């Protein structure tokens, strides 16, 4: 999780969580259930109101890293004096969360990015609301256009069906039967043009786009075929029950550690403890007198005695523990031959909302569910 900044006002404390991890994970990070779970870990207050969202380019819809987010509201102090309160912090990846915001009063939010400011958004939150407000910054950029023709240098014939792309812009076109193309909304300045055609390879050329005029280019190509790699198809059988419960979707995202059905089949285990020992994210300490119990901690965790939350076939299990040393009996959850797959999430930042655990979570899928 990113940096946490707390600013005190006259009568309220607001916590801003700045997420980290980059734009590709932004959508998952802004899941409302995960947002509330993060606020409740950082700010342990019941029924708190939360405002969150993304700072995005109003033209492209892409997040704007390095933005600064502001939240402002007024409070009335003793004697009726009015005080203005404001919190602000930098967002590393273009997303933000304000935890425990004031309730029942007018709030105003806006963002600064690249010297520009988003429109101000005003709203009022009541108790326990989790509200998303995206802040749009319209980036001002000079744009031009590129047009021209693509012809065969030897035959002087037009080349149709070729892809013309500006490498540093979202501009692409396919040449028509006359070899003509046109690229619009191209940022002013130098660019590399990439051309792709099965008979001419992937040549490139440099050009400069001017805002005052449309850039025109006649491009001549010599035949050069593209080497096409053989197509290989890999088919992997998936267990339908695990597919229906999105096990494979979470496996592809690799937010946690996994023991797949194929790994279970290759190396059968007698106990659940033996299965968990194959996962580097877990530390186990076992005691077998008078019967076997284990103490479980997530690798790298500083929260001693904090037991992960267990889920069996998608349902949370309330596991009894020894109050003296937090030892638990894993055999009451599942035995080795029953296990079909396992998911392990080391903390709140990794856990999907449906498998939330303050000290991490261990999700066990059994063969009972596969039937």
């Amino acid at each position: 999780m990113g940096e946490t900044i707390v600013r005190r006002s006259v009568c309220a404390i607001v916590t801003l969580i700045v997420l980290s991890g980059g734009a590709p994970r932004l959508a998952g990070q802004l899941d409302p259930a995960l947002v509330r779970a993060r606020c409740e870990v950082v700010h342990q207050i019941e029924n708190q109101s939360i405002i969150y969202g993304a700072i995005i380019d109003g033209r492209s819809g892409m997040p704007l890293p390095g933005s600064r987010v502001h939240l402002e509201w007024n409070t009335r102090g003793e004697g009726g004096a009015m005080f203005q309160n404001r919190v602000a912090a930098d967002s590393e990846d273009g997303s933000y969360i304000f935890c425990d915001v004031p309730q029942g009063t007018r709030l105003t939010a806006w963002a600064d990015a690249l010297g520009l400011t988003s429109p101000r958004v005003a709203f009022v939150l009541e108790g326990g609301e989790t509200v998303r407000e995206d802040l749009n910054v319209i980036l001002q950029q000079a744009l031009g256009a590129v047009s021209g023709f693509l012809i065969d240098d030897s035959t002087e014939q037009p080349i149709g069906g070729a892809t013309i792309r500006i490498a540093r812009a979202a501009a692409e076109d396919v040449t028509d039967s006359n070899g003509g193309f046109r690229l619009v909304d191209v940022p002013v300045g130098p660019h590399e043009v990439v051309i792709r055609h099965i008979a001419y390879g992937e040549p490139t050329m440099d050009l400069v786009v001017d805002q005052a005029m449309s850039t025109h280019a006649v491009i001549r190509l010599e035949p050069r075929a593209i080497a096409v790699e053989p197509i290989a198809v890999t088919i992997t059988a998936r267990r339908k029950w695990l597919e229906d419960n999105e096990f494979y979707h979470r496996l592809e995202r690799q937010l946690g550690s996994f023991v797949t059905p194929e790994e279970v089949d290759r190396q059968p285990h007698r106990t659940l403890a033996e299965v968990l020992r194959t996962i580097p994210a877990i530390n186990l300490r076992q005691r077998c007198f008078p019967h076997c119990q284990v103490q479980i901690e997530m690798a790298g965790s500083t929260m001693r005695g904090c037991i992960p939350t267990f889920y069996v076939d998608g349902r949370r299990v309330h596991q009894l523990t020894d109050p003296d040393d937090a030892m638990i009996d894993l055999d009451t959850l599942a035995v080795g031959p029953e296990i079909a797959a396992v998911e392990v999430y080391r903390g709140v930042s990794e856990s999907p909302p449906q498998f939330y655990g303050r000290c991490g979570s261990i999700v066990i899928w059994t063969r009972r569910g596969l039937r």
Side-chain angles (χ1 to χ4, degrees):
M1 186 175 295
E3 177 187 8
T4 300
I5 301 175
V6 180
R7 303 288 177 85
R8 295 184 179 272
S9 64
V10 174
C11 63
I13 298 177
V14 175
T15 302
L16 172 62
I17 300 177
V18 180
L19 302 177
S20 60
R25 291 178 57 188
L26 185 60
Q29 287 177 320
L30 294 183
D31 179 273
L34 183 55
V35 165
R36 176 157 290 276
R38 292 189 177 195
C39 278
E40 289 175 350
V41 169
V42 175
H43 217 27
Q44 298 179 2
I45 295 178
E46 295 182 359
N47 210 35
Q48 60 178 298
S49 289
I50 300 166
I51 176 73
Y52 73 101
I55 307 97
I56 58 178
D57 173 11
R59 293 180 65 253
S60 68
M62 296 298 291
L64 293 175
S67 307
R68 188 165 182 80
V69 191
H70 306 266
L71 184 68
E72 184 178 86
W73 70 97
N74 294 327
T75 56
R76 192 176 298 277
E78 295 182 3
M82 188 67 71
F83 295 90
Q84 186 179 75
N85 307 272
R86 180 185 297 179
V87 291
D90 295 330
S91 170
E92 295 178 0
D93 70 346
S95 59
Y96 72 94
I97 307 173
F98 284 107
C99 303
D100 191 31
V101 302
Q103 300 173 4
T105 188
R106 179 186 172 90
L107 303 166
T108 304
W110 71 95
D112 298 324
L114 302 176
L116 300 170
T117 301
S118 72
R120 298 195 174 205
V121 180
F123 46 88
V124 177
L125 298 185
E126 303 300 333
E129 285 188 278
T130 302
V131 176
R132 175 167 181 165
E133 288 288 349
D134 290 342
L135 306 174
N136 292 286
V137 179
I138 306 298
L139 298 184
Q140 299 172 348
Q141 187 172 38
L143 300 174
V146 179
S147 62
F149 293 93
L150 196 63
I151 61 176
D152 187 297
D153 190 48
S154 301
T155 66
E156 297 292 331
Q157 294 299 310
I159 301 172
T163 300
I164 312 289
R165 179 172 59 87
I166 299 290
R168 197 167 53 85
E172 183 174 303
D173 194 13
V174 177
T175 56
D176 58 26
S177 59
N178 296 317
F181 65 90
R182 179 172 174 79
L183 305 172
V184 297
D185 293 337
V186 181
V188 169
H191 291 279
E192 181 183 60
V193 178
V194 180
I195 305 166
R196 182 179 176 87
H197 190 282
I198 189 65
Y200 295 88
E202 295 186 17
T204 62
M205 61 169 289
D206 296 326
L207 58 77
V208 176
V209 177
D210 193 316
Q211 184 180 12
M213 61 188 71
S214 176
T215 302
H216 186 78
V218 176
I219 305 172
R220 296 174 174 271
L221 299 181
E222 294 181 356
R224 183 190 309 165
I226 298 176
V228 179
E229 294 291 336
I231 298 175
V233 178
T234 301
I235 300 176
T236 302
R238 291 188 169 188
R239 312 293 174 90
K240 185 178 185 303
W241 188 64
L242 294 177
E243 179 82 43
D244 292 343
N245 284 279
E246 299 186 340
F247 171 86
Y248 294 102
H249 175 69
R250 293 186 294 274
L251 175 64
E252 291 168 356
R253 295 178 65 195
Q254 287 294 316
L255 295 180
S257 300
F258 296 80
V259 179
T260 65
E262 293 74 23
E263 291 169 333
V264 172
D265 292 341
R266 282 197 302 266
Q267 182 63 46
H269 297 282
R270 294 176 300 170
T271 66
L272 176 57
E274 290 181 1
V275 177
L276 296 181
R277 280 198 179 92
T278 67
I279 303 175
I282 297 177
N283 293 326
L284 295 182
R285 182 170 64 86
Q286 188 166 357
R287 182 184 66 191
C288 288
F289 180 83
H291 56 277
C292 289
Q293 293 181 309
V294 297
Q295 186 179 64
I296 299 181
E297 290 181 352
M298 293 300 178
S301 174
T302 58
M303 303 173 66
R304 299 301 178 190
C306 194
I307 300 173
T309 301
F310 284 88
Y311 293 82
V312 176
D313 293 336
R315 295 187 177 184
R316 182 172 179 173
V317 177
H318 296 280
Q319 176 64 33
L320 297 178
T321 64
D322 186 326
D324 295 328
D325 50 13
M327 305 290 283
I328 65 176
D329 185 355
L330 292 179
D331 290 338
T332 62
L333 298 174
V335 295
E338 293 180 339
I339 298 171
V342 178
E343 305 173 44
V344 175
Y345 302 98
R346 292 181 297 177
V348 174
S349 61
E350 288 187 1
S351 303
Q354 67 269 37
F355 298 132
Y356 171 77
R358 186 174 65 90
C359 303
S361 54
I362 298 176
V363 184
I364 303 162
W365 300 100
T366 71
R367 299 181 188 276
R368 297 190 298 265
L370 298 178
R371 298 190 186 105

